[in-house]
Amino acid sequence: MNMNFSAASNVNASKNAHSNVVIDCNLDKVFYGDFLAVRDSHVPIQKGQITGFIGPSGCGKSTVLRCLNRMNDLIEGFRFEGNVHFNNQDVYHKTVDPVVVRRYIGMVFQQPNPFAMSIFDNVAFGLRLNRFKGDIAECVENALKKAALWGEVKDKLKASGLSLSGGQQQRLCIARAIATEPAVVLMDEPCSALDPISTRRIEELMIELKEKYTIALVTHNMQQAKRVADKTAFLSVEISEGGRTGYLVELGETSQIFDDPKEELTQQYIRGEFS
Amino acid sequence: MNIQDSFHPEQEIAKEAPCLQRSLLEGRSITNILLTGIAWLAAIIASVPLISVLYGLIVKGGHRLSLEVFTELPPAGFEEGGGFGNAIVGTLVTVGFGAVISIPIGFLAAIFLAELEPDGKVAYVARFCAKTLTGLPSILAGVFAYAVVVLATGTYSAPAAGVALALLMLPTVVLTAEGAMRMVPSKMKAAAYGIGCTRSQVIWKIVLPTALPGVLTGVMLAIARAAGETAPLLFTALFSNYWFVENGTAHVMEPIASLSVLIYNFAGMPYENQIELAWTASLVLVMMVLLFNILARVLGRKKV
């Protein structure tokens, strides 16, 4: 029914070592304790594109995203079936260090969360963590420029990161995430705590960043996905015995998902019949 | 006609609108005034003891305050003059030993309680013990250190006093440091994990620096409390009429003077000079404690 759906694209991804799938995400079942949070969600994330995840509250968008860089490992009772491949390496293989995974797959969170240190140190943090040998000041400047924040903070790099406004803090967090040049940046509702003007800036920023970085974007805002995402995955939620379980309904080009959704549920969601 | 027309609607509104005037005779506004007054009174009463103690100490002890009391040794029976320089040093040394013992243990225990196993059984027991220890009578801390250190080493000493004081400082250090570390927002920790920190990097690079002002506040409060203790010192440090460091050698394993024990000793003596010195020593001790408390507040306020 849906040509883009899971299995077909997975086979392609694993067949071509040089395919442009950076993260191949095959989640069969994700549990928190006994509770099945997400099932059957297979989303290949293409290099140099923005892959948007939309869906109603509690559909497991964030859970899927947090599986990709093993942030869910920090949650008690997390366990999953399936696999996640990053450049054809199994992210969950027992020899893989989740800490290293997170250095290559960066993350921007829902709430802006700069560290309680200066703007400069916030961006330099990841570089220092990796014992970066080059010119830290230059890297910090570049990251801040890419995050469209340099002009506003260049005269107060020593000021606390927490002294910035919400929108600036979020751009600082983006600068921090891209300073270490990760291959993929995961963004978990990065604009949900921001005003429309800041949101706009960050959306423009995402489109600029996808030239160099692959982005996976979770958003509660359908219009945002429509504006910035190349591919869109629509997840929905069903009430099961253990609680609410999210699953992938449809995945495709953003224009196809919004203009010509194949699934009845997607149509209803796009029309705004539930949220 | 015109005038009537323009006034008419206003009068109607005035009749229907509720009266917004404050009425002092209404029941709830009397209660309000009464309770506000009582709260004011209680706040004033609460600050009376400290102010009156300070006032009394300044009046009775202030006039003996001079360089002499800070540099001289305590006077013997009928001697005039003298000071308590060795007792000030002694207080700093004993509290120093206490801090050296209690801060590392308290600090690491707080990391365990706040970050490593906050919900584990060990954490539950340790937290309960720390809270109980907060209320430990200080004389028992002295008896404990007497049994463990003084009897074992065969002498009263600064380290023995340090153990007793550490026992009293530990719960304050542990509980305030744990509280400060728990105040570090979890989203900040998530950011650190997200950028590729190991757990120890998250703790050392993010949690500790962010919590440091709060941790230091706890340390200063613990030091302030320990500096004023008398009972534990009676069993462990005893007293000495000599300097801690004399002729270039530190007398570690010997009895050591302290301000609080000096006050206790001199206040009971029948000599005018000693009683005056006890007042002055009290003033100096209160000032030292006050200084540590102010330091705690300043450090606690400092933000990055």
Side-chain angles (χ1 to χ4, degrees), chain A residues 93-134:
Chain A
H93 194 272
K94 61 177 184 291
T95 58
V96 166
D97 183 355
V99 169
V100 179
V101 172
R102 293 181 206 127
R103 290 188 187 174
Y104 290 98
I105 306 179
M107 191 157 196
V108 175
F109 295 80
Q110 190 168 355
Q111 297 281 331
N113 52 3
F115 300 132
M117 50 178 84
S118 73
I119 294 168
F120 184 93
D121 288 342
N122 259 288
V123 183
F125 188 86
L127 297 169
R128 289 178 180 147
L129 207 61
N130 295 323
R131 302 223 162 71
F132 179 72
K133 288 287 184 292

Side-chain angles (χ1 to χ4, degrees), chain A residues 99 102-103 109 112-113 116 160 176, chain B residues 187-188 190-191 193-194 196 304:
Chain A
V99 169
R102 293 181 206 127
R103 290 188 187 174
F109 295 80
N113 52 3
S160 167
R176 182 178 63 191
Chain B
K187 60 177 189 178
M188 221 180 258
Y193 281 116
V304 183

Side-chain angles (χ1 to χ4, degrees), chain A residues 20 66-67 71 87 93 102 112 117 122 146 151 179 185 209 230 239 263:
Chain A
N20 51 2
R66 293 165 66 92
C67 283
M71 278 300 277
N87 289 330
H93 194 272
R102 293 181 206 127
M117 50 178 84
N122 259 288
K146 278 189 218 155
V185 180
L209 288 176
D230 298 295
I239 312 296
E263 300 284 333

Side-chain angles (χ1 to χ4, degrees), chain A residues 234-245:
Chain A
F234 169 61
L235 281 78
S236 189
V237 62
E238 63 184 7
I239 312 296
S240 60
E241 286 163 39
R244 297 155 65 87
T245 299

Side-chain angles (χ1 to χ4, degrees), chain A:
Chain A
M1 205 157 70
N2 178 0
M3 297 309 287
N4 286 310
F5 192 67
S6 62
S9 54
N10 290 334
V11 173
N12 288 337
S14 45
K15 262 183 190 166
N16 314 328
H18 298 293
S19 79
N20 51 2
V21 174
V22 188
I23 298 183
D24 194 13
C25 160
N26 300 303
L27 304 177
D28 295 330
K29 286 189 168 92
V30 179
F31 292 95
Y32 291 130
D34 293 333
F35 160 59
L36 178 62
V38 173
R39 65 167 175 84
D40 304 314
S41 297
H42 298 188
V43 185
I45 290 169
Q46 308 273 338
K47 190 176 169 68
Q49 291 197 342
I50 299 179
T51 305
F53 292 81
I54 59 170
S57 309
C59 72
K61 308 182 289 280
S62 295
T63 300
V64 171
L65 200 71
R66 293 165 66 92
C67 283
L68 303 185
N69 68 342
R70 295 190 60 172
M71 278 300 277
N72 280 334
D73 287 23
L74 304 171
I75 294 169
E76 196 96 358
F78 163 76
R79 132 185 100 80
F80 97 131
E81 291 166 20
N83 58 69
V84 175
H85 280 90
F86 172 59
N87 289 330
N88 292 317
Q89 293 177 68
D90 185 355
V91 166
Y92 283 87
H93 194 272
K94 61 177 184 291
T95 58
V96 166
D97 183 355
V99 169
V100 179
V101 172
R102 293 181 206 127
R103 290 188 187 174
Y104 290 98
I105 306 179
M107 191 157 196
V108 175
F109 295 80
Q110 190 168 355
Q111 297 281 331
N113 52 3
F115 300 132
M117 50 178 84
S118 73
I119 294 168
F120 184 93
D121 288 342
N122 259 288
V123 183
F125 188 86
L127 297 169
R128 289 178 180 147
L129 207 61
N130 295 323
R131 302 223 162 71
F132 179 72
K133 288 287 184 292
D135 185 350
I136 287 192
E138 194 188 319
C139 288
V140 169
E141 183 178 335
N142 283 336
L144 285 168
K145 275 179 179 160
K146 278 189 218 155
L149 189 62
W150 177 251
E152 289 154 71
V153 302
K154 64 173 187 282
D155 300 323
K156 49 171 186 177
L157 291 173
K158 288 222 170 74
S160 167
L162 297 169
S163 68
L164 299 172
S165 74
Q168 289 173 323
Q169 285 191 9
Q170 194 63 303
R171 276 179 283 145
L172 178 63
C173 294
I174 293 174
R176 182 178 63 191
I178 60 180
T180 52
E181 309 251 306
V184 184
V185 180
L186 308 177
M187 296 191 170
D188 188 358
E189 302 199 33
C191 303
S192 67
L194 303 183
D195 60 275
I197 294 168
S198 305
T199 301
R200 194 87 222 183
R201 294 212 61 168
I202 292 194
E203 287 177 6
E204 288 164 5
L205 184 58
M206 285 189 251
I207 291 171
E208 283 167 34
L209 288 176
K210 75 172 181 181
E211 304 279 313
K212 212 164 166 209
Y213 306 97
T214 304
I215 295 175
L217 168 72
V218 163
T219 176
H220 195 77
N221 179 342
M222 261 192 285
Q223 301 312 316
Q224 182 169 66
K226 199 172 176 180
R227 283 190 294 263
V228 302
D230 298 295
K231 293 252 171 30
T232 296
F234 169 61
L235 281 78
S236 189
V237 62
E238 63 184 7
I239 312 296
S240 60
E241 286 163 39
R244 297 155 65 87
T245 299
Y247 63 102
L248 180 70
V249 176
E250 190 169 354
L251 166 69
E253 296 291 332
T254 299
S255 55
Q256 178 254 311
I257 293 284
F258 281 93
D259 300 336
D260 181 26
K262 300 275 187 289
E263 300 284 333
E264 177 68 27
L265 212 53
T266 318
Q267 285 173 22
Q268 287 174 3
Y269 186 71
I270 301 297
R271 283 203 301 267
E273 285 172 25
F274 68 102
S275 64

